[in-house]
Amino acid sequence: MIGLEDVTFSYPAGGTILEGINLMVVKGEYLGVMGDNGSGKSTLARLMTGLLLPEHGTIRVNEMSTHDKSRLLEIRRSAGMVFQNPDAQAIGETVEEDLVFGLENLGLPVPEIDTRIEKYLGLFGIRDLRYRNIRTLSGGQKQLVNLAAVMVMEPECIILDEPVSMVDARHRKIILEHIARLNHEGTTIVHITHDPEELTRCHRLIVLSRSGIIKQGTTHEVFNQLLDEEIMDVPVSFAISRALGLSPVLTTEDLLEELCRLRSGT
């Protein structure tokens, strides 16, 4: 799906951000990317979608190089991106205009555009917002619109850069559930965040630092390593279950279920 080979990138005034990155995002997987501030997480997201180009190395999306300017539109159709700031992606004045913009660029007929808008506004439970001015929406509502605006293009992959860091707790839960459902239905997900609690549904994790990828493996493997080495936070439920000598679990629901099972002796 997305392959990075020996990728290095630096900003003119900021020095090298990423160096020697080798990574393959497999079609259909849910990949989590963790790292402290300044580790290059957002830069990696922009490199994957061709918004930035590497100094060295190659990035391919469905075998298309991001260096090939003639393929950038096709690359961004294959891999859509949701930014951290809910205000950063708005193009139209209304929700409908925001979704129509990308579809018109695809050259779709009006009936197909209307069908897709209805489908994806319904998917995210925001049909009632269709004619609302985007500026009147809450941060959580805007981020749901951003997800719909990306999914309406029907990309194979969505790259999410801190997608819930600027929304309230209710919308955080809703958005994370939608992301997990999209992956369950076949969309490849790359979820970038500093918060391990967001990554409990991931299949695989990588941890970035300025020296490159310092950890990678299954979600359980990486969280075990981080907990052993005490170099980064892990989900609270994971830490508690391990401290109690239980099989490590990732979510509060799983922890409560395990504790109830032990209490009942089953």
Side-chain angles (χ1 to χ4, degrees):
M1 176 77 228
I2 303 177
L4 291 82
E5 184 176 347
D6 198 27
V7 167
T8 295
F9 181 86
S10 61
Y11 292 102
T16 301
I17 299 296
L18 296 170
E19 186 170 12
I21 300 295
N22 291 286
L23 176 66
M24 175 62 70
V25 181
V26 179
K27 183 176 175 62
E29 79 168 323
Y30 190 156
L31 174 68
V33 181
M34 291 178 62
D36 293 328
N37 290 336
S39 61
K41 302 187 301 297
S42 294
T43 300
L44 180 66
R46 285 160 173 76
L47 286 165
M48 285 181 171
T49 54
L51 294 173
L52 295 174
L53 296 176
E55 286 177 48
H56 305 289
T58 58
I59 301 172
R60 296 185 180 278
V61 179
N62 286 339
E63 301 302 321
M64 298 177 286
S65 171
T66 59
H67 279 289
D68 186 347
K69 293 182 180 179
S70 69
R71 308 299 293 275
L72 282 179
L73 181 58
E74 194 172 350
I75 285 171
R76 289 168 189 161
R77 288 177 186 169
S78 298
M81 183 169 172
V82 175
F83 294 89
Q84 176 181 10
N85 186 342
D87 293 312
Q89 278 180 264
I91 297 172
E93 275 198 33
T94 67
V95 171
E96 181 183 62
E97 288 173 2
D98 212 45
L99 272 65
V100 164
F101 179 81
L103 296 175
E104 287 184 336
N105 285 337
L106 292 180
L108 297 179
V110 172
E112 174 65 14
I113 288 174
D114 190 63
T115 297
R116 286 205 195 182
I117 289 174
E118 276 292 298
K119 175 182 176 180
Y120 288 102
L121 289 181
L123 183 68
F124 293 106
I126 51 174
R127 276 202 184 106
D128 58 315
L129 302 181
R130 178 166 181 167
Y131 303 108
R132 286 273 299 276
N133 189 306
I134 291 175
R135 288 175 294 181
T136 68
L137 304 181
S138 70
Q141 288 172 324
K142 288 175 184 176
Q143 202 66 309
L144 285 170
V145 171
N146 289 337
L147 276 169
V150 170
M151 280 307 300
V152 81
M153 306 289 286
E154 299 188 342
E156 295 177 56
C157 174
I158 300 181
I159 299 163
L160 304 122
D161 184 13
E162 303 272 8
V164 295
S165 65
M166 298 178 68
V167 305
D168 59 75
R170 185 175 73 87
H171 279 99
R172 170 192 167 97
K173 184 175 186 294
I174 291 169
I175 290 167
L176 292 176
E177 287 173 351
H178 280 308
I179 292 168
R181 190 183 79 232
L182 289 171
N183 176 250
H184 182 72
E185 293 172 353
T187 303
T188 305
I189 301 290
V190 179
H191 187 154
I192 295 169
T193 181
H194 68 282
D195 184 356
E197 299 286 352
E198 296 176 23
L199 302 178
T200 57
R201 293 182 172 98
C202 290
H203 305 144
R204 185 164 63 103
L205 291 180
I206 66 169
V207 180
L208 286 178
S209 79
R210 280 183 174 265
S211 61
I213 297 174
I214 59 170
K215 302 285 181 191
Q216 61 179 313
T218 67
T219 308
H220 277 82
E221 288 171 347
V222 172
F223 283 150
N224 268 318
Q225 292 170 20
L226 295 178
L227 195 56
D228 288 340
E229 298 174 27
E230 299 182 345
I231 59 174
M232 198 171 289
D233 290 338
V234 302
V236 172
S237 296
F238 191 89
I240 291 174
S241 58
R242 255 197 44 172
L244 293 174
L246 307 175
S247 297
V249 296
L250 293 170
T251 67
T252 303
E253 292 81 3
D254 288 341
L255 178 58
L256 291 174
E257 183 178 325
E258 183 69 8
L259 291 172
C260 289
R261 184 185 66 78
L262 288 173
R263 185 177 180 182
S264 66
T266 59

